[in-house]
Coordinates of all heavy atoms in Angstrom, one line a residue:
D1515 N -16.0 -5.8 -3.6 CA -17.3 -5.2 -3.3 C -18.2 -6.0 -2.4 O -18.9 -5.5 -1.5 CB -18.1 -4.8 -4.5 CG -17.4 -3.6 -5.3 OD1 -16.5 -3.1 -4.7 OD2 -17.9 -3.3 -6.4
E1516 N -18.2 -7.3 -2.6 CA -19.1 -8.2 -1.8 C -18.7 -8.2 -0.3 O -19.6 -8.1 0.5 CB -19.1 -9.6 -2.4 CG -19.7 -9.8 -3.7 CD -19.8 -11.2 -4.1 OE1 -19.5 -12.1 -3.3 OE2 -20.1 -11.5 -5.3
E1517 N -17.5 -8.3 -0.1 CA -17.0 -8.3 1.3 C -17.2 -6.9 1.9 O -17.6 -6.7 3.1 CB -15.5 -8.6 1.4 CG -15.1 -8.9 2.9 CD -13.7 -9.3 3.0 OE1 -13.0 -9.5 1.9 OE2 -13.2 -9.4 4.1
A1518 N -17.0 -5.8 1.1 CA -17.3 -4.5 1.6 C -18.7 -4.3 2.0 O -19.0 -3.7 3.0 CB -16.9 -3.5 0.5
E1519 N -19.6 -4.8 1.2 CA -21.1 -4.7 1.6 C -21.4 -5.4 2.9 O -22.1 -4.8 3.7 CB -21.9 -5.3 0.4 CG -23.4 -5.2 0.7 CD -24.2 -5.6 -0.5 OE1 -23.7 -5.6 -1.6 OE2 -25.4 -5.9 -0.3
R1520 N -20.8 -6.6 3.1 CA -21.0 -7.3 4.4 C -20.5 -6.4 5.5 O -21.2 -6.4 6.6 CB -20.4 -8.6 4.3 CG -21.0 -9.6 3.4 CD -20.5 -11.1 3.7 NE -19.1 -11.2 3.5 CZ -18.5 -11.6 2.4 NH1 -19.3 -11.8 1.3 NH2 -17.2 -11.8 2.3
E1521 N -19.4 -5.8 5.4 CA -18.8 -5.0 6.5 C -19.7 -3.8 6.8 O -19.9 -3.4 7.9 CB -17.4 -4.6 6.1 CG -16.4 -5.8 6.1 CD -16.3 -6.5 7.5 OE1 -16.3 -5.8 8.5 OE2 -16.1 -7.7 7.5
L1522 N -20.2 -3.2 5.7 CA -21.0 -2.0 5.9 C -22.3 -2.3 6.6 O -22.8 -1.6 7.4 CB -21.3 -1.3 4.6 CG -20.1 -0.5 4.0 CD1 -20.4 -0.1 2.6 CD2 -19.7 0.7 4.9
L1523 N -22.9 -3.5 6.2 CA -24.1 -3.9 6.9 C -23.9 -4.2 8.4 O -24.7 -3.9 9.2 CB -24.7 -5.1 6.2 CG -25.3 -4.8 4.8 CD1 -25.6 -6.2 4.1 CD2 -26.5 -3.9 4.8
A1524 N -22.7 -4.8 8.6 CA -22.4 -5.1 10.0 C -22.2 -3.8 10.8 O -22.5 -3.7 12.0 CB -21.1 -6.0 10.1
A1525 N -21.5 -2.8 10.1 CA -21.3 -1.5 10.8 C -22.6 -0.8 11.1 O -22.8 -0.3 12.2 CB -20.5 -0.6 9.9
A1526 N -23.5 -0.8 10.2 CA -24.8 -0.2 10.4 C -25.6 -0.9 11.6 O -26.2 -0.2 12.4 CB -25.7 -0.3 9.1
E1527 N -25.5 -2.2 11.6 CA -26.1 -2.9 12.7 C -25.5 -2.6 14.1 O -26.2 -2.3 15.1 CB -26.0 -4.4 12.5 CG -26.7 -5.3 13.6 CD -26.6 -6.8 13.3 OE1 -26.1 -7.2 12.2 OE2 -26.9 -7.5 14.3
D1528 N -24.2 -2.5 14.1 CA -23.5 -2.2 15.4 C -23.9 -0.8 15.8 O -24.1 -0.5 17.0 CB -22.0 -2.3 15.3 CG -21.5 -3.8 15.3 OD1 -22.1 -4.6 16.1 OD2 -20.6 -4.1 14.6
E1529 N -23.8 0.2 14.9 CA -24.2 1.6 15.2 C -25.6 1.7 15.7 O -25.9 2.5 16.6 CB -23.9 2.5 14.0 CG -22.5 2.5 13.5 CD -21.5 3.3 14.4 OE1 -22.0 3.8 15.5 OE2 -20.4 3.6 14.0
A1530 N -26.5 0.9 15.1 CA -27.9 1.0 15.5 C -28.1 0.4 16.9 O -28.8 1.0 17.7 CB -28.8 0.1 14.5
R1531 N -27.4 -0.7 17.2 CA -27.5 -1.2 18.6 C -26.9 -0.3 19.6 O -27.3 -0.3 20.8 CB -26.8 -2.6 18.6 CG -27.5 -3.7 17.8 CD -26.7 -5.0 17.8 NE -26.5 -5.5 19.1 CZ -25.7 -6.6 19.3 NH1 -25.1 -7.2 18.3 NH2 -25.5 -7.0 20.6
A1532 N -25.9 0.5 19.2 CA -25.2 1.4 20.1 C -26.0 2.7 20.2 O -25.7 3.6 21.0 CB -23.8 1.7 19.6
G1533 N -27.0 2.9 19.4 CA -27.8 4.1 19.4 C -27.0 5.3 18.9 O -27.3 6.5 19.2
H1534 N -26.1 5.1 18.0 CA -25.2 6.1 17.5 C -25.7 6.5 16.1 O -25.3 5.9 15.1 CB -23.7 5.6 17.5 CG -22.8 6.7 17.1 ND1 -21.6 6.4 16.3 CD2 -22.7 8.0 17.4 CE1 -21.0 7.6 16.1 NE2 -21.6 8.5 16.8
L1535 N -26.5 7.5 16.0 CA -27.1 7.8 14.7 C -26.1 8.3 13.7 O -26.2 8.0 12.5 CB -28.2 8.9 14.9 CG -29.4 8.5 15.7 CD1 -30.4 9.7 15.9 CD2 -30.2 7.4 14.8
R1536 N -25.1 9.1 14.2 CA -24.1 9.6 13.2 C -23.3 8.5 12.6 O -23.1 8.5 11.4 CB -23.2 10.5 14.0 CG -22.1 11.2 13.1 CD -21.2 12.1 13.9 NE -20.4 12.9 13.1 CZ -19.5 13.8 13.5 NH1 -19.3 13.9 14.8 NH2 -18.7 14.5 12.7
G1537 N -22.9 7.5 13.4 CA -22.1 6.4 12.8 C -23.0 5.6 11.9 O -22.5 5.1 10.8
R1538 N -24.2 5.3 12.3 CA -25.1 4.6 11.4 C -25.4 5.3 10.1 O -25.4 4.6 9.0 CB -26.4 4.3 12.2 CG -27.4 3.4 11.4 CD -28.7 3.2 12.3 NE -29.7 2.4 11.5 CZ -30.9 2.3 11.9 NH1 -31.4 3.0 13.0 NH2 -31.8 1.6 11.2
A1539 N -25.5 6.6 10.1 CA -25.8 7.3 8.9 C -24.5 7.2 8.0 O -24.7 7.1 6.8 CB -26.1 8.8 9.2
T1540 N -23.3 7.3 8.6 CA -22.1 7.1 7.8 C -22.1 5.8 7.1 O -21.7 5.7 5.9 CB -20.9 7.3 8.7 OG1 -20.9 8.6 9.2 CG2 -19.6 7.1 7.9
A1541 N -22.4 4.7 7.8 CA -22.4 3.4 7.2 C -23.4 3.2 6.1 O -23.1 2.7 5.0 CB -22.6 2.3 8.3
V1542 N -24.6 3.8 6.3 CA -25.6 3.7 5.3 C -25.2 4.5 4.1 O -25.4 4.1 2.9 CB -27.0 4.1 5.8 CG1 -28.0 4.2 4.7 CG2 -27.4 3.1 6.9
E1543 N -24.7 5.7 4.3 CA -24.2 6.6 3.2 C -23.1 5.9 2.4 O -23.1 5.9 1.2 CB -23.7 7.9 3.8 CG -23.1 8.8 2.7 CD -22.4 10.0 3.3 OE1 -22.4 10.1 4.6 OE2 -21.9 10.9 2.6
S1544 N -22.2 5.2 3.1 CA -21.1 4.5 2.4 C -21.7 3.4 1.6 O -21.2 3.1 0.5 CB -20.1 4.0 3.4 OG -19.6 5.0 4.2
L1545 N -22.7 2.7 2.1 CA -23.3 1.6 1.3 C -23.9 2.2 0.0 O -23.9 1.6 -1.0 CB -24.4 0.9 2.1 CG -25.1 -0.3 1.5 CD1 -24.0 -1.4 1.2 CD2 -26.1 -0.8 2.5
G1546 N -24.5 3.4 0.1 CA -25.0 4.1 -1.1 C -24.0 4.4 -2.1 O -24.2 4.2 -3.3
L1547 N -22.8 4.8 -1.6 CA -21.7 5.1 -2.5 C -21.2 3.8 -3.2 O -20.9 3.8 -4.4 CB -20.5 5.7 -1.8 CG -20.8 7.1 -1.2 CD1 -19.6 7.6 -0.3 CD2 -21.0 8.1 -2.3
L1548 N -21.2 2.7 -2.5 CA -20.9 1.4 -3.1 C -22.0 1.1 -4.2 O -21.6 0.6 -5.3 CB -20.9 0.3 -2.1 CG -20.6 -1.1 -2.6 CD1 -19.3 -1.2 -3.3 CD2 -20.7 -2.1 -1.4
R1549 N -23.2 1.3 -3.9 CA -24.3 1.1 -4.9 C -24.1 1.9 -6.1 O -24.4 1.5 -7.3 CB -25.6 1.4 -4.3 CG -26.0 0.5 -3.1 CD -26.5 -0.9 -3.6 NE -27.0 -1.7 -2.5 CZ -26.4 -2.6 -1.8 NH1 -25.1 -2.9 -2.2 NH2 -26.9 -3.3 -0.9
L1550 N -23.7 3.2 -6.0 CA -23.5 4.0 -7.2 C -22.4 3.4 -8.1 O -22.6 3.3 -9.3 CB -23.0 5.4 -6.7 CG -24.0 6.4 -6.3 CD1 -23.2 7.7 -6.0 CD2 -25.0 6.7 -7.4
R1551 N -21.4 2.8 -7.5 CA -20.3 2.3 -8.3 C -20.8 1.0 -8.9 O -20.2 0.6 -10.0 CB -19.1 2.0 -7.4 CG -17.8 1.7 -8.2 CD -16.6 1.7 -7.4 NE -16.6 0.6 -6.4 CZ -15.7 0.5 -5.4 NH1 -14.8 1.5 -5.3 NH2 -15.7 -0.5 -4.6
Q1552 N -21.7 0.3 -8.3 CA -22.3 -0.9 -8.9 C -23.4 -0.6 -9.9 O -24.0 -1.6 -10.4 CB -22.8 -1.8 -7.8 CG -21.8 -2.3 -6.8 CD -22.4 -3.0 -5.6 OE1 -23.5 -2.6 -5.1 NE2 -21.7 -3.9 -5.0
W1553 N -23.7 0.7 -10.2 CA -24.7 1.1 -11.1 C -26.1 0.7 -10.6 O -27.1 0.5 -11.4 CB -24.5 0.5 -12.5 CG -23.3 1.0 -13.2 CD1 -22.4 1.9 -12.7 CD2 -22.8 0.5 -14.4 NE1 -21.3 2.1 -13.6 CE2 -21.5 1.2 -14.7 CE3 -23.2 -0.4 -15.4 CZ2 -20.8 1.0 -15.8 CZ3 -22.4 -0.6 -16.5 CH2 -21.2 0.1 -16.7
R1554 N -26.3 0.6 -9.3 CA -27.6 0.3 -8.7 C -28.1 1.6 -8.1 O -28.1 1.9 -6.9 CB -27.4 -0.8 -7.6 CG -26.9 -2.1 -8.1 CD -26.4 -3.0 -7.0 NE -27.5 -3.4 -6.1 CZ -27.3 -4.1 -5.0 NH1 -26.1 -4.6 -4.7 NH2 -28.3 -4.4 -4.2
F1555 N -28.5 2.5 -9.1 CA -28.9 3.8 -8.7 C -30.1 3.9 -7.8 O -30.1 4.8 -6.9 CB -29.1 4.7 -10.0 CG -27.9 4.7 -10.9 CD1 -27.8 4.0 -12.0 CD2 -26.8 5.4 -10.5 CE1 -26.7 4.0 -12.8 CE2 -25.6 5.5 -11.3 CZ -25.6 4.8 -12.5
R1556 N -31.1 3.1 -8.0 CA -32.3 3.2 -7.2 C -32.0 2.8 -5.7 O -32.4 3.5 -4.8 CB -33.4 2.3 -7.8 CG -34.8 2.5 -7.2 CD -35.8 1.6 -7.9 NE -35.7 1.8 -9.4 CZ -36.2 2.8 -10.1 NH1 -36.8 3.8 -9.4 NH2 -36.1 2.8 -11.4
S1557 N -31.2 1.7 -5.6 CA -30.8 1.3 -4.2 C -29.9 2.4 -3.6 O -30.0 2.6 -2.4 CB -30.1 0.0 -4.3 OG -29.7 -0.4 -3.0
A1558 N -29.0 3.0 -4.4 CA -28.2 4.0 -3.8 C -29.0 5.2 -3.3 O -28.8 5.7 -2.2 CB -27.2 4.5 -4.9
L1559 N -30.0 5.6 -4.1 CA -30.9 6.7 -3.7 C -31.6 6.4 -2.4 O -31.7 7.2 -1.5 CB -31.9 7.0 -4.8 CG -32.9 8.1 -4.5 CD1 -32.2 9.4 -4.3 CD2 -33.9 8.2 -5.6

Side-chain angles (χ1 to χ4, degrees):
D1515 290 355
E1516 289 186 10
E1517 190 178 356
E1519 179 170 343
R1520 290 196 297 271
E1521 292 298 323
L1522 287 172
L1523 292 172
E1527 181 181 348
D1528 282 324
E1529 298 283 9
R1531 290 173 60 185
H1534 186 217
L1535 290 175
R1536 184 180 189 182
R1538 186 179 173 193
T1540 298
V1542 173
E1543 177 186 3
S1544 302
L1545 186 60
L1547 294 174
L1548 176 61
R1549 296 281 189 259
L1550 279 183
R1551 193 167 69 188
Q1552 296 170 329
W1553 298 355
R1554 298 168 61 182
F1555 300 106
R1556 195 174 308 281
S1557 178
L1559 180 60

